[in-house]
Amino acid sequence: MFGTEFFPTPKSVIHKMLKKISPDASHFLEPSAGKGDIAEAIVEKKGRYTRDKVDCIECAPELVA
């Protein structure tokens, strides 16, 4: 389904990454979003109103949606 350059971030790594986010952070960029697992985790952690403040970039057409 996904190409050979698709490397999803394990949930355990995502949780470690989220611990490093400043509580004051208000805008997020996911420059290689893949399926959006990191972006979704940020929204879960920071609250549903964060969704409008998470920008994702993905060049693989099958993953853009």
Side-chain angles (χ1 to χ4, degrees):
M1 176 175 179
F2 302 116
T4 59
E5 295 192 24
F6 176 67
F7 301 101
T9 306
K11 289 190 183 281
S12 60
V13 174
I14 293 172
H15 291 297
K16 287 179 183 178
M17 292 168 58
L18 294 182
K19 289 180 182 178
K20 303 284 185 180
I21 294 176
S22 167
D24 298 328
S26 61
H27 200 140
F28 306 89
L29 172 64
E30 169 57 286
S32 185
K35 296 185 305 156
D37 294 339
I38 296 173
E40 287 178 4
I42 291 170
V43 172
E44 285 178 20
K45 178 181 173 95
K46 299 293 273 183
R48 63 186 172 118
Y49 298 109
T50 305
R51 183 170 299 281
D52 293 337
K53 297 179 180 180
V54 178
D55 292 318
C56 297
I57 300 170
E58 179 53 55
C59 63
E62 67 273 17
L63 296 171
V64 169

